[in-house]
Amino acid sequence: MWQSYDPFVVREELRVLADHGLTMTRSFFYWPHFMPEPDRIDEDCVARYADFLEAHVEAGLTTIPTLLVGHMSGENWDPAWRRGRDLYGDVWMVARQAWFAEQMARRFAGHPAVTGWLVSNEMPIYGERERSIRENVTSWASLVVQALRAGGASQPISIGDGAWGIEVTGNDNGFSVRDLGALVDFLGPHVYRMENDLVRQHYGAAFVCELTGFLGKPVVLEEFGVSSAFASDENAAHYYRQVLHNTLLAGATGWIGWNNTDFDLIHQDPYRHHPFELHFGLTTVDGRPKPQLEEMARFAKVLSDIDVLGCEREPADAAIIVPSYLEGAFPFTEAEDRSYLFTMLRQAYIAAKEADLPVGLTRERDGIAEDCRLYLLPSAKQLTAPTWHLLERLASAGAVVYASYCHGTHGSQRGPWYAHLNAMFGVEHQLRYGMVDPIEDDRAKLTFECPFGTIAAGTTLTFPVSGTENSRAYLPVRARGAEVVAVDQRGRPALLRRKIGSGSVVLCTYPIEHFAAATPRINPEPTYRLYDALAELAGVKRPVTVDDPRVAADTLRHRDGRRFVFLVSQADQPLSVKPAAASGHLTELGGKSPVHAVELSPFDVRILELRSGPR
């Protein structure tokens, strides 16, 4: 772009974005062109970028420059002088990157169009994975960030690594979200997941934002999008709508779609060999807006209508526990346990959404939050011994603690890593050493022998059984002080409740969340019924509920007292639902007349206001 720069085309493209409510772009210093020699900046490229910034001012936009590019759209792009040097561990190579950062900051940090800085574009892909040693990566990032500051950059800075570290994905690529988070002003997930369940696809970016937000830093969905080669216009619009609203409700504070326009560069790498990359644009090659740009415009209006800067999430009475094993914190554990935790926790998050349950994530490594009414430990194999005892104390003090059991997906140390399973849950397990108790049926049927929260006695919930030869198993127990709430299809205890103090601990002997996570096209599935019952049992505050798991109700609270209710449909057909408010009544946004029924188009989002007082 910087060697074939067309100021008219740039201005026209920016105008289209601004006309649709967008406020900023992300832009890239193509490293081989901007720094053709280790101690020289190409001033022609600099001049063109300066004009690019002026075009933003004219359009009323800002931009985030990205320094080390590096990697883009299916290919890596080295400056010729790198000659295979280690990007993170070679002192000279790190110094060259820091010098480049300082030089670019000196030139542009004072420009009104510059609103932030990114060190790289998906550096874990650009850097050689086998050299991505955590200490080296963190030191490299620290030095480049310091160089930006030394060059005068006062705007927010982040790394541009995609937030793909072990704390989010379970995969150790050297880019620790914890370590890098201490250096930056915001965290920026890049989310392009391929799934086998549409609801998981629609909540994928939201769950990643939830996992990324544990440091208290702003989370910007720094890159997301869809190629028109992979999705129709209608379905691409659905995807944008779902991702934008679900990540807002998951705490994201910024959204950068990939990318502004389609290309006709069929002979230019990387588009020559990755042709689907030609079609990620919000506009076509000739500048015509695609439906996903219309979704961005609609979302921008939503943010304005609710004055999003004055909003915060509804306080959560319920927490999903993230075991410290996700981060590989302990010796002699298996990498497979980490990837298992990601998929299983995400499925529990979806079930909570289907139950209209305001839920947060609480990380064991940082200390379990102790102010919740309900704790969910889904399909759990591992938790440290002190945390088990803490959860029992929290139950004694009035909370409801739920755990479903899983043997784990592999054969290494297969079995319960529980500190005191029998005593805590009021059972006596019947495990045999080195063996699993396989589930004989294709479906697990839990029949309730007594009322449980919102579930009536006699109700049967049916779960498809899935998993590996290790995880497709149940936990055989005998009740020893616990009440058997539900039995399986063979009359064995499947859900047990032990009352302790003023609270309860609840054990499910089947890994129902894991079953769902391992099953294609499964959502919504009956786990939400159990979570709904647990919420009722625990007295969790749910401002609005919808009696249809295909529609999730979530709430944002404005500092002036207004409460905005988001109804997000996962149905591929029109729905009519009757949202129920725990107190007060619902109206249209800015209206006064009560709303009793809401019509939703396929995969639609509606926003209402929750007002206090009688209808």
Side-chain angles (χ1 to χ4, degrees):
M1 172 177 175
W2 307 112
Q3 291 187 345
S4 56
Y5 183 75
D6 186 328
F8 173 79
V9 169
V10 166
R11 282 164 172 79
E12 182 60 21
E13 290 179 351
L14 293 179
R15 181 193 62 77
V16 172
L17 299 180
D19 286 349
H20 286 79
L22 275 66
T23 58
M24 57 157 288
T25 70
R26 179 172 165 227
S27 49
F28 302 88
F29 297 143
Y30 179 54
W31 199 14
H33 288 175
F34 269 84
M35 192 177 173
E37 298 174 18
D39 55 358
R40 182 172 70 87
I41 304 296
D42 187 308
E43 296 301 338
D44 289 337
C45 287
V46 167
R48 290 163 181 161
Y49 191 81
D51 180 76
F52 179 76
L53 294 180
E54 289 304 311
H56 278 71
V57 173
E58 294 164 17
L61 298 173
T62 60
T63 191
I64 299 180
T66 305
L67 291 165
L68 304 172
V69 187
H71 172 79
M72 184 73 74
S73 301
E75 189 161 341
N76 290 340
W77 309 90
D78 268 339
W81 47 265
R82 180 187 169 192
R83 301 182 187 279
R85 289 178 179 268
D86 186 341
L87 290 163
Y88 316 120
D90 184 302
V91 175
W92 181 85
M93 192 67 208
V94 173
R96 293 299 85 210
Q97 295 170 79
W99 178 81
F100 179 59
E102 182 178 0
Q103 290 296 314
M104 302 316 287
R106 289 191 185 282
R107 287 164 170 80
F108 299 123
H111 199 285
V114 174
T115 195
W117 295 87
L118 286 171
V119 168
S120 76
N121 180 56
E122 299 180 353
M123 201 71 173
I125 299 177
Y126 179 43
E128 297 177 45
R129 293 171 186 263
E130 65 271 17
R131 295 186 181 180
S132 298
I133 300 169
R134 182 166 174 168
E135 292 82 359
N136 286 357
V137 168
T138 304
S139 298
W140 158 84
S142 177
L143 291 169
V144 179
V145 169
Q146 289 176 39
L148 277 170
R149 295 295 186 214
S154 59
Q155 300 90 344
I157 296 173
S158 195
I159 301 301
D161 62 307
W164 295 334
I166 191 171
E167 299 89 348
V168 174
T169 64
N171 173 47
D172 186 6
N173 62 2
F175 284 74
S176 163
V177 175
R178 282 188 185 276
D179 293 353
L180 299 178
L183 306 175
V184 300
D185 303 296
F186 65 96
L187 297 165
H190 294 196
V191 184
Y192 298 97
R193 297 190 64 86
M194 297 282 172
E195 301 292 351
N196 59 14
D197 179 274
L198 190 57
V199 181
R200 280 197 284 267
Q201 183 70 280
H202 286 167
Y203 277 108
F207 181 64
V208 168
C209 288
E210 296 271 16
L211 277 172
T212 308
F214 68 98
L215 294 172
K217 297 287 177 76
V219 175
V220 173
L221 186 56
E222 194 176 273
E223 212 178 289
F224 75 100
V226 57
S227 170
S228 296
F230 291 172
S232 69
D233 281 352
E234 180 183 15
N235 289 324
H238 293 328
Y239 180 74
Y240 261 76
R241 184 186 315 131
Q242 289 281 329
V243 168
L244 290 166
H245 289 87
N246 288 332
T247 54
L248 167 66
L249 297 169
T253 58
W255 299 266
I256 310 177
W258 184 267
N259 59 344
N260 66 309
T261 186
D262 286 353
F263 305 131
D264 56 4
L265 306 171
I266 61 173
H267 299 293
Q268 180 175 314
D269 291 346
Y271 314 110
R272 178 182 62 85
H273 54 73
H274 278 60
F276 67 89
E277 295 279 2
L278 292 164
H279 307 294
F280 269 94
L282 292 173
T283 67
T284 61
V285 171
D286 59 4
R288 179 176 53 83
K290 293 184 183 178
Q292 44 267 50
L293 180 54
E294 302 297 342
E295 290 297 330
M296 292 282 272
R298 176 184 174 189
F299 185 65
K301 185 176 186 304
V302 167
L303 300 182
S304 175
D305 288 346
I306 67 173
D307 181 25
V308 69
L309 294 179
C311 292
E312 62 183 7
R313 301 169 74 184
E314 195 74 26
D317 278 345
I320 297 174
I321 297 171
V322 180
S324 48
Y325 296 85
L326 176 69
E327 301 185 35
F330 307 109
F332 298 102
T333 56
E334 301 292 328
E336 191 173 335
D337 289 329
R338 303 199 296 270
S339 57
Y340 161 78
L341 279 169
F342 177 89
T343 58
M344 180 273 304
L345 290 168
R346 181 185 55 183
Q347 182 59 41
Y349 179 76
I350 291 169
K353 290 293 184 183
E354 292 168 346
D356 303 320
L357 185 57
V359 67
L361 305 185
T362 183
R363 287 185 178 254
E364 182 187 22
R365 180 165 177 178
D366 298 317
I368 299 295
E370 299 187 22
D371 57 352
C372 296
R373 297 173 185 261
L374 175 62
Y375 295 88
L376 301 173
L377 191 60
S379 299
K381 173 183 175 178
Q382 297 160 312
L383 207 62
T384 64
T387 301
W388 286 113
H389 285 271
L390 170 62
L391 290 173
E392 187 176 28
R393 292 196 299 274
L394 292 173
S396 181
V400 172
V401 175
Y402 159 84
S404 54
Y405 180 78
C406 186
H407 285 282
T409 55
H410 56 80
S412 177
Q413 299 299 338
R414 185 177 57 199
W417 295 34
Y418 290 31
H420 57 315
L421 188 157
N422 287 346
M424 178 171 177
F425 293 103
V427 299
E428 182 181 277
H429 77 72
Q430 303 297 303
L431 291 166
R432 293 180 174 88
Y433 177 69
M435 302 295 292
V436 298
D437 292 84
I439 299 169
E440 305 92 338
D441 307 290
D442 291 333
R443 296 185 179 275
K445 298 181 179 181
L446 275 61
T447 300
F448 286 75
E449 297 194 322
C450 59
F452 186 74
T454 54
I455 299 176
T459 300
T460 296
L461 302 181
T462 302
F463 302 88
V465 174
S466 190
T468 69
E469 63 176 342
N470 302 297
S471 61
R472 189 185 169 98
Y474 71 99
L475 175 67
V477 299
R478 295 172 180 163
R480 291 290 185 266
E483 173 189 18
V484 177
V485 174
V487 296
D488 69 8
Q489 61 274 19
R490 296 172 183 258
R492 300 172 297 213
L495 191 74
L496 304 100
R497 177 188 181 189
R498 175 190 169 217
K499 296 180 180 178
I500 174 175
S502 55
S504 302
V505 291
V506 177
L507 174 67
C508 182
T509 61
Y510 282 80
I512 57 174
E513 298 88 355
H514 169 57
F515 290 163
T519 304
R521 301 182 182 275
I522 186 67
N523 288 297
E525 50 83 38
T527 302
Y528 84 91
R529 292 281 308 276
L530 181 56
Y531 285 12
D532 178 71
L534 289 163
E536 181 75 12
L537 188 69
V540 171
K541 298 174 184 176
R542 290 182 286 176
V544 177
T545 56
V546 177
D547 192 20
D548 188 329
R550 295 172 296 176
V551 177
D554 218 327
T555 310
L556 294 180
R557 184 193 300 264
H558 196 277
R559 60 183 168 226
D560 64 11
R562 288 179 295 163
R563 299 170 80 184
F564 303 109
V565 177
F566 288 70
L567 303 178
V568 182
S569 173
Q570 298 299 332
D572 61 358
Q573 58 193 8
L575 292 179
S576 179
V577 296
K578 295 181 178 180
S583 62
H585 63 280
L586 296 166
T587 72
E588 295 288 353
L589 195 62
K592 295 183 179 180
S593 300
V595 170
H596 303 288
V598 175
E599 307 299 321
L600 289 160
S601 301
F603 306 112
D604 201 5
V605 179
R606 285 286 302 278
I607 304 169
L608 306 175
E609 280 195 49
L610 178 57
R611 297 181 181 270
S612 58
R615 296 179 181 178

